[in-house]
Amino acid sequence: MTAETLSRRDWLGLIARAPLPLLEALWPDDPPPFDWLRRPETGAMMVQGRAGAVGAGFNLGEVSVTRASVRLQCGAIGHALVQGRSPRKAERAAVLDALLQTAAAQDVHARVLVPLQEAECAARETRARRAAATKVDFFTMVRGEG
Amino acid sequence: MYVAVKGGERAIDNAHAWLEDARRGDRAVPDLEIAQIREQLALAVDRVMAEGSLYDPDLAALALKQARGDVIEAVFLIRAYRTTLPRFGSSLPVDTGAMQITRRISATYKDAPGGQVLGPTFDYTHRLLDFDLENGQPVPPAPEADAQAGPVPHILSHLGREGLIQAEPAGSEDVPDLTRAPLEFPAQRALRLQALTRGDEGFLLSLAYSTQRGYGRNHAFVGELRIGHVRVAAYLPELGFEIEFAEIQITECESVNQFQGSKTEPAQFTRGYGLVFGQSERKAISMALVDRALRARELGEDMADAPAQDEEFVLSHCDNIQSSGFLEHIKLPHYVDFQAELELIRKLRCAAAQGLEAAQ
């Protein structure tokens, strides 16, 4: 996984879905000085489904989220909309988004994004392998002829 | 007669202190951690999220702890909390076709592309109590096998290609929301599905069962049941693009139902749909059956008068916070109401006795 393959929409999603303890472990640094454009605010997003999986949209229920926006002293602006109720996670995510648009991008990519993506892939891989182990192999009993 | 109802503050305070003490239980037993509830009572957590209509496992676990394991009380706590949250917006509809499957079965096709995947199921267990759990024995990790990457298409899409199953009409962009506007009848299907997915599991189970026993018969097959993780995406105007900001676990059931055809529709299979937060397959199957039953009138079915086919009956009674709120309010002081009834009974008896005397 190279840093260049992640677009901004990819990294915003990756950080938004990441568990906070992992994010903190990968990036324990104090953030660089920044100004709040929008202080962390916890709220909800309504999740939609589709009738019959493919038809008209309907409201399934809400998911808790926290959003924040920051501006670094260099002028880079970072946004975050993260899953869960942690203001700390939203702050970290917004600062990381801003940093990823500066000269620090390559370092942050390597230290934070690549391990986050590896962790997400590993979790998916484990689920897929466990599911595969419970896949049913049907066999037909040989029936007697005549 | 007006009876002043005041006082009892000290009794209430002490009752709540006792409640808190009772919730904690024997102090010699370790306090439950939220993470323990989230990880080890995960299906209770899922039910609280589904009926509380807020996906947040830690919050649902906290609610269960505070409610002493009373699921409906926990749902009440979540519903109350969610009203304090500002709504930032709405997601794009989740793509359940792109779900990362942990369980996927079909009762209609043995050899469905993608296969039958059992996942972590209670099915085929013997329902014998496992006394090893009393001792907290270490548990080995789940077995693994090589996984084949590739899409797992919805099984009903095969029937759709042949035109053997009724198509799902696309809806308008504007999705109605029963948390924002009061429910009116007749309700659109989108509102019905929203009411059902947050409705009480027990109530929907009973209604679904009633359709199987003949009250609004519409013989259902589980065309497909899938449980897994999907990503939730939303368009963020400040960025000008969509991001996949969350991942949630959901359960989906598509039922396939016999349909003889009617004055307006050809003979074909019809659909019922269930989609629920978390791993909740009993609820998802129930929802699909009740959704299908509620479509009786739109499909022009005769004799659509069973309880599960009555939209107003189902939707007005499926919410366990509404129903328990109204049910339980009758235990609160009704001294004045009752006094009035008492006076009335006395007067009637008195009048009847006088009438009797006069007749003699």
Side-chain angles (χ1 to χ4, degrees):
Chain A
M1 182 54 56
T2 59
E4 285 69 28
T5 57
L6 280 180
S7 66
R8 190 174 179 205
R9 57 175 288 179
D10 287 338
W11 79 56
L12 282 165
L14 187 62
I15 298 168
R17 299 186 300 270
L20 179 61
L22 178 60
L23 203 56
E24 299 264 30
L26 293 171
W27 195 56
D29 314 19
D30 288 330
F34 66 86
D35 294 318
W36 289 113
L37 296 179
R38 179 194 270 157
R39 287 185 177 276
E41 182 186 18
T42 295
M45 289 289 281
M46 179 54 89
V47 181
Q48 288 187 10
R50 286 191 185 283
V54 291
F58 71 96
N59 288 315
L60 179 63
E62 290 166 311
V63 60
S64 61
V65 289
T66 305
R67 66 184 177 186
S69 298
V70 300
R71 180 168 49 215
L72 304 185
Q73 284 182 339
C74 65
I77 289 175
H79 295 295
L81 177 76
V82 301
Q83 186 172 8
R85 287 166 290 116
S86 169
R88 170 108 179 135
K89 181 176 166 187
E91 178 201 307
R92 302 248 103 188
V95 172
L96 282 169
D97 178 45
L99 281 174
L100 283 159
Q101 302 166 65
T102 68
Q106 218 166 6
D107 177 48
V108 175
H109 261 289
R111 279 178 57 199
V112 182
L113 297 189
V114 172
L116 278 186
Q117 192 162 47
E118 282 169 358
E120 195 171 61
C121 286
R124 290 177 72 82
E125 173 71 10
T126 301
R127 279 204 292 262
R129 289 181 56 81
R130 288 179 170 191
T134 68
K135 192 165 169 176
V136 180
D137 291 318
F138 287 107
F139 55 89
T140 306
M141 307 292 279
V142 178
R143 292 183 185 170
E145 293 289 330
Chain B
M1 181 174 61
Y2 176 75
V3 181
V5 179
K6 191 158 163 55
E9 287 91 344
R10 190 176 49 83
I12 291 171
D13 287 346
N14 289 343
H16 290 168
W18 192 4
L19 170 69
E20 181 57 13
D21 178 276
R23 183 199 62 70
R24 176 60 184 84
D26 184 352
R27 306 299 198 276
V29 176
D31 190 29
L32 257 181
E33 289 173 22
I34 299 303
Q36 288 179 310
I37 299 172
R38 186 194 64 219
E39 296 299 316
Q40 296 177 42
L41 296 177
L43 301 189
V45 167
D46 285 350
R47 183 167 174 189
V48 171
M49 292 197 297
E51 294 172 23
S53 202
L54 181 68
Y55 195 97
D56 189 320
D58 285 315
L59 215 54
L62 171 65
L64 277 167
K65 179 175 178 176
Q66 186 177 331
R68 308 179 66 195
D70 180 334
V71 171
I72 294 182
E73 182 69 20
V75 169
F76 199 166
L77 293 169
I78 293 298
R79 289 278 186 92
Y81 176 81
R82 69 152 285 282
T83 62
T84 68
L85 293 177
R87 172 86 61 84
F88 293 160
S90 208
S91 81
L92 304 166
V94 291
D95 179 6
T96 55
M99 180 188 290
Q100 201 204 359
I101 301 290
T102 48
R103 172 165 167 81
R104 187 267 199 151
I105 54 171
S106 171
T108 54
Y109 287 103
K110 178 167 70 72
D111 298 312
Q116 309 256 358
V117 176
L118 300 181
T121 179
F122 292 122
D123 293 353
Y124 317 110
T125 63
H126 294 107
R127 267 73 182 211
L128 297 173
L129 280 172
D130 178 2
F131 291 99
D132 284 346
L133 298 184
E134 287 182 329
N135 306 316
Q137 302 284 351
V139 177
E144 296 184 11
D146 286 336
Q148 290 160 339
V152 184
H154 276 112
I155 287 166
L156 265 54
S157 62
H158 303 295
L159 287 171
R161 275 200 289 278
E162 284 187 72
L164 295 177
I165 192 160
Q166 151 263 339
E168 286 290 358
S172 63
E173 288 283 294
D174 199 21
V175 176
D177 184 353
L178 62 78
T179 68
R180 295 297 171 94
L183 198 53
E184 285 178 10
F185 303 105
Q188 299 175 45
R189 187 164 176 225
L191 279 175
R192 298 202 302 248
L193 290 170
Q194 183 181 11
L196 295 178
T197 191
R198 71 212 297 268
D200 183 77
E201 180 174 317
F203 180 74
L204 296 181
L205 169 65
S206 294
L207 279 177
Y209 180 44
S210 75
T211 69
Q212 291 183 298
R213 291 194 64 253
Y215 292 84
R217 181 178 294 277
N218 49 49
H219 187 86
F221 296 98
V222 172
E224 180 166 359
L225 177 76
R226 51 169 71 192
I227 303 175
H229 291 76
V230 291
R231 289 187 183 168
V232 186
Y235 177 82
L236 299 188
E238 61 266 47
L239 293 166
F241 53 81
E242 306 158 5
I243 69 165
E244 294 176 326
F245 65 93
E247 184 174 80
I248 61 173
Q249 189 185 32
I250 53 177
T251 304
E252 178 184 58
C253 176
E254 292 184 277
S255 69
V256 183
N257 301 67
Q258 281 177 0
F259 185 56
Q260 309 294 333
S262 68
K263 295 181 194 77
T264 53
E265 302 286 332
Q268 59 182 346
F269 289 114
T270 56
R271 305 163 181 257
Y273 190 63
L275 187 68
V276 185
F277 278 157
Q279 182 178 336
S280 317
E281 67 186 57
R282 190 188 303 115
K283 168 81 175 276
I285 298 169
S286 300
M287 178 174 165
L289 265 56
V290 176
D291 171 49
R292 173 60 187 81
L294 288 174
R295 305 181 73 188
R297 274 172 227 280
E298 111 197 22
L299 294 166
E301 286 177 326
D302 296 331
M303 301 287 287
D305 53 4
Q309 294 169 322
D310 183 334
E311 174 180 277
E312 190 164 345
F313 177 78
V314 174
L315 300 190
S316 302
H317 302 119
C318 69
D319 190 287
N320 55 25
I321 300 310
Q322 265 174 24
S323 49
S324 62
F326 196 77
L327 181 97
E328 294 193 31
H329 100 279
I330 64 169
K331 73 193 172 187
L332 299 175
H334 280 64
Y335 307 138
V336 179
D337 292 338
F338 185 72
Q339 200 67 37
E341 300 265 317
L342 195 61
E343 290 291 314
L344 182 64
I345 294 277
R346 282 190 178 130
K347 269 184 195 149
L348 287 171
R349 288 173 65 99
C350 188
Q354 280 167 357
L356 210 61
E357 274 172 29
Q360 284 165 355

